[in-house]
Amino acid sequence: MLIDTYGRQATDLRVSLTDRCNLRCTYCMPEEGLQWLAKPDLLTDDEIVRLIDIAVNSLGIEEVRFTGGEPLLRPGLVGIVERVAALAPRPQMSLTTNGIGLKRTAKALKAAGLDRVNVSLNTLRPDVFKTLTRRNRYQDVLEGLDAAREAGLTPVKVNSVLIPGLNGDEAPDLLAWAVEHDYELRFIEQMPLDAQHGWKRDGVITAGDILTSLRTRFTLTEEGAEARGSAPAERWIVDGGPHVVGVIASVTRPFCAACDRTRLTAEGQIRTCLFAREETDLRAALRSDAGDKEIARIWREAMWGKKAGAGLDDPTFVQPDRPMSAIGG
């Protein structure tokens, strides 16, 4: 098992498959992009599957989430999903994507064994989408969402980040749209993971702000802590159900005490927290012919040293050196 000194057990593995992305979201990376990892630095398909196998069979991982960058840019993605689905025990598998490539891949991913998807969409206004992402791909995302739902990659969850002065007023419209299309909407407070280090805490649209805005149009009933478990999103039932809306308040309502996640970067580094400044190298162990037991030991040791919290409420907090696109969201 992956246990830390605070008694938390990691059962959810986030796997970044690439640092590359085909959008340039303002809250993630600069317009010109970043210096991408060289191919030899990335884990191979075989290495990824082997590490997931170790995580599932030796370390108690029950859920695997594929992330990026943009995971649909990984050429071997469908094959990786198929091989992980063949593991015994079989972990639950999901994927976080910007949705641009889902129209052509949703059916293949479902056939390979993927259970569901999370799609990022921050606005219903094509012009605002272009401003936020620096790309004119709004319609592609909508078509990708439709394809995911039709393929059975459900529940289809939509992740939205609200930015003051851009889409900060769209919360009620986004929820009405999600209810209409049978998507589960989740708002995420903007986190300090931008390459430009332009994030400011006092500029965050908070969970409280979001809920106040939603209540101007909807009746929200809190599901409660028991229903939430270790999930990052607090959820509210919308107008008596069956639809729900979630808020991930990483900044103003940290949920570190219930965290059950461990993260594997595209180049084979273990991160015990999205905001960690330290990493543990598994790629070197893989490529020096270390056995599964030794790799599992290194992983356990890394998790044992996991900190109590992300420290976002600490005035001395220092933002991680790498943006979200490099470490997986």
Side-chain angles (χ1 to χ4, degrees):
M1 294 189 294
L2 289 171
I3 300 175
D4 64 33
T5 54
Y6 298 92
R8 297 169 296 193
Q9 179 182 351
T11 58
D12 184 332
L13 170 61
R14 308 295 171 96
V15 180
S16 175
L17 298 178
T18 179
D19 61 328
R20 297 174 184 264
C21 189
N22 42 13
L23 297 179
R24 296 292 181 271
C25 295
T26 57
Y27 54 84
C28 185
M29 69 171 75
E31 186 171 4
E32 66 274 14
L34 300 167
Q35 183 66 45
W36 306 125
L37 293 167
K39 187 174 181 179
D41 294 333
L42 294 170
L43 294 177
T44 67
D45 293 0
D46 287 344
E47 289 171 336
I48 290 170
V49 174
R50 182 184 171 194
L51 287 175
I52 294 174
D53 189 358
I54 292 170
V56 169
N57 281 288
S58 300
L59 299 172
I61 291 298
E62 299 171 356
E63 300 179 41
V64 176
R65 170 86 61 86
F66 296 109
T67 70
E70 173 46 53
L72 295 182
L73 296 179
R74 177 87 187 200
L77 172 61
V78 172
I80 291 171
V81 170
E82 189 171 36
R83 292 170 66 183
V84 173
L87 296 177
R90 178 199 185 282
Q92 289 290 305
M93 285 185 293
S94 59
L95 177 129
T96 295
T97 172
N98 61 31
I100 288 174
L102 268 179
K103 183 178 179 180
R104 59 179 174 78
T105 57
K107 288 183 179 179
L109 288 168
K110 180 63 176 180
L114 191 70
D115 295 301
R116 62 172 189 83
V117 293
N118 287 31
V119 180
S120 298
L121 181 64
N122 302 316
T123 178
L124 300 176
R125 304 167 185 163
D127 59 326
V128 175
F129 181 93
K130 187 175 181 180
T131 298
L132 276 170
T133 67
R134 304 185 178 104
R135 297 291 186 270
N136 190 21
R137 306 298 298 272
Y138 175 73
Q139 191 61 37
D140 294 322
V141 178
L142 295 187
E143 292 175 359
L145 281 160
D146 286 342
R149 184 183 56 212
E150 291 171 8
L153 293 169
T154 55
V156 176
K157 296 184 179 181
V158 176
N159 294 339
S160 296
V161 177
L162 299 181
I163 309 294
L166 286 173
N167 63 338
D169 62 339
E170 287 197 67
D173 291 339
L174 281 162
L175 181 53
W177 167 83
V179 168
E180 178 186 353
H181 291 85
D182 200 25
Y183 302 138
E184 182 178 326
L185 181 63
R186 307 193 316 168
F187 291 100
I188 304 174
E189 289 181 339
Q190 185 185 2
M191 294 179 284
L193 291 168
D194 58 311
Q196 309 92 296
H197 287 198
W199 179 88
K200 290 182 174 58
R201 185 184 179 92
D202 58 6
V204 172
I205 294 178
T206 68
D209 297 331
I210 293 166
L211 293 170
T212 297
S213 179
L214 293 177
R215 286 185 171 118
T216 63
R217 198 181 304 180
F218 303 94
T219 299
L220 304 180
T221 305
E222 189 172 1
E223 277 195 332
E226 185 174 345
R228 180 184 184 184
S230 60
E234 298 177 77
R235 301 203 315 174
W236 281 262
I237 300 167
V238 179
D239 290 341
H243 294 93
V244 297
V245 62
V247 179
I248 298 177
S250 302
V251 177
T252 62
R253 303 180 186 179
F255 40 86
C256 301
C259 181
D260 65 349
R261 287 167 290 288
T262 182
R263 300 175 183 274
L264 177 66
T265 70
E267 71 272 42
Q269 307 296 307
I270 288 297
R271 295 179 68 90
T272 59
C273 174
L274 190 60
F275 302 102
R277 296 183 62 82
E278 306 84 17
E279 297 177 333
T280 300
D281 189 3
L282 293 185
R283 185 186 64 195
L286 282 170
R287 296 181 181 177
S288 63
D289 297 325
D292 289 0
K293 289 184 179 180
E294 174 61 11
I295 292 171
R297 183 197 65 77
I298 295 171
W299 205 330
R300 286 192 191 97
E301 188 173 290
M303 291 303 297
W304 185 251
K306 183 173 182 174
K307 294 181 179 179
L312 297 185
D313 55 349
D314 186 336
T316 64
F317 170 77
V318 179
Q319 180 172 329
D321 294 328
R322 298 207 286 168
M324 187 181 299
S325 60
I327 57 180

